[in-house]
Amino acid sequence: MTTSRSRGALAHLAVLPAVGVALLVAVLVTAVTFATPSNADTTWSVVPANADGPDGRSVIDLELAGGQQVVEHVAVVNRSTQPVDFAIDANDGYLTSKGYFDMRPSDAKPTDGGSWIAVPEKVTIAAGATSVVPVTVSIPQNATPGDHPAGVTASLETVSGQVRVQNRVGVRLNIRVTGDYVAKVAVSDVQAEYTGSWNPFAAGSVEVTYTVANVGNVRLVADNRVLTSTFVGENNWSDPSAAKARELMPGGSRTFVARVPGAWPLGPIGTTVTVIPSPAGKPIPGVTAQRMAIDTTVWALPWPQLALLVLLILAPFAVRLVAAWRRKRIEKLIMLHGKGTPQEA
């Protein structure tokens, strides 16, 4: 559950993690020609509910067939000391570039799952009270199978100076239309770059950039692995658990960067990116996502090691040259001072 406090100042877009968190906060700013501060201390929250009130869920998960309709509910809790008129809206959901769930602005016309949701335009809630708002989801008969993310928000506008700020708090809806589910990813734009060390006794690293796209129709999470190999061995890199938990929506993509240490510059370094996808949330019976792998090669020349080798080869010659120069200098000094012949010296 998330609580929002409206503020009479310019706010920035705020997004909460998609996994295990139902609520999102978005702020839409528009200029106005008047200024009347109001609702400056209003706080509220929105959570999934049944007809009787909050039911403990974090998101609303629905799996419906084309033509089917269901009525869900969200509970809007007014935590302030005054009655408030909240605007209610529904819209399409999406993932940000970092993999967090967000919702399209309220003035944007929904074109996917958000367009299938009907909610009242506004609700008036007394101070400290909770209102249960019906959410009607109607799946079109010809809806494409798979996931269609959406959300429902309760919003409130405040004014400060000549800026109007719309604060939105909402609930995420994972709408899945039954049919032939496809769990598939594509890996592209793999680029590898070697970063060496000037210390000839230290290995360098390979930085790998690649893009993973969800080309199926269900939400996926990806276990990404990078393997580098040289003549002297292999090195592995795996995504941390936090990155694995972030989803990929159907039609969406995200770019990853991995740094694999322990790579010695011995010519070609083979790099393999492997993505092992799986459906987000509960497993889908009979649906298995195929792993994808793509290879690339980066060249790394051992300049520090070559420089050290050259120094080792030239060192004996340098010692002999210095010794010969010193011997000639001593002979010259002896001759100049008439102290005897070089042989006697």
Side-chain angles (χ1 to χ4, degrees), residues 21 23 31 140 167 193 201 221-222 224 230 246 269 273 284 286 329:
V21 179
L23 309 180
N167 295 275
E193 182 178 351
F201 301 103
V221 291
N224 302 338
T230 63
R246 298 177 189 170
I269 300 178
V273 176
I284 305 175
R329 186 170 182 272

Side-chain angles (χ1 to χ4, degrees), residues 22-34:
L23 309 180
L24 54 91
V25 179
V27 179
L28 177 66
V29 181
T30 56
V32 296
T33 59
F34 58 93

Side-chain angles (χ1 to χ4, degrees), residues 140-164:
Q141 192 69 45
N142 61 347
T144 57
D147 290 328
H148 302 265
V152 173
T153 66
S155 61
L156 182 66
E157 289 187 348
T158 59
V159 178
S160 176
Q162 294 190 4
V163 175
R164 174 174 291 170

Side-chain angles (χ1 to χ4, degrees), residues 57-80:
R57 289 179 294 175
S58 59
V59 298
I60 296 177
D61 290 305
L62 298 173
E63 188 170 8
L64 304 170
Q68 192 173 356
Q69 183 182 90
V70 67
V71 178
E72 279 285 348
H73 301 83
V74 296
V76 182
V77 184
N78 180 7
R79 301 183 181 279
S80 63

Side-chain angles (χ1 to χ4, degrees), residues 64-69 111-113 115-117 137-144 148 175 177:
L64 304 170
Q68 192 173 356
Q69 183 182 90
T111 59
D112 195 41
S115 64
W116 305 341
I117 301 173
V137 182
S138 303
I139 308 300
Q141 192 69 45
N142 61 347
T144 57
H148 302 265
I175 303 174
V177 179

Side-chain angles (χ1 to χ4, degrees), residues 35-162:
T36 307
S38 62
N39 300 319
D41 297 318
T42 302
T43 59
W44 71 101
S45 59
V46 185
V47 294
N50 55 34
D52 299 322
D55 57 10
R57 289 179 294 175
S58 59
V59 298
I60 296 177
D61 290 305
L62 298 173
E63 188 170 8
L64 304 170
Q68 192 173 356
Q69 183 182 90
V70 67
V71 178
E72 279 285 348
H73 301 83
V74 296
V76 182
V77 184
N78 180 7
R79 301 183 181 279
S80 63
T81 57
Q82 58 185 352
V84 180
D85 293 331
F86 293 101
I88 309 297
D89 76 281
N91 216 316
D92 303 329
Y94 67 95
L95 294 180
T96 67
S97 59
K98 294 184 178 180
Y100 299 129
F101 184 84
D102 199 357
M103 206 174 106
R104 299 181 69 191
S106 59
D107 60 348
K109 184 178 180 180
T111 59
D112 195 41
S115 64
W116 305 341
I117 301 173
V119 292
E121 291 186 0
K122 68 175 183 178
V123 60
T124 301
I125 306 177
T130 299
S131 178
V132 176
V133 178
V135 178
T136 303
V137 182
S138 303
I139 308 300
Q141 192 69 45
N142 61 347
T144 57
D147 290 328
H148 302 265
V152 173
T153 66
S155 61
L156 182 66
E157 289 187 348
T158 59
V159 178
S160 176
Q162 294 190 4

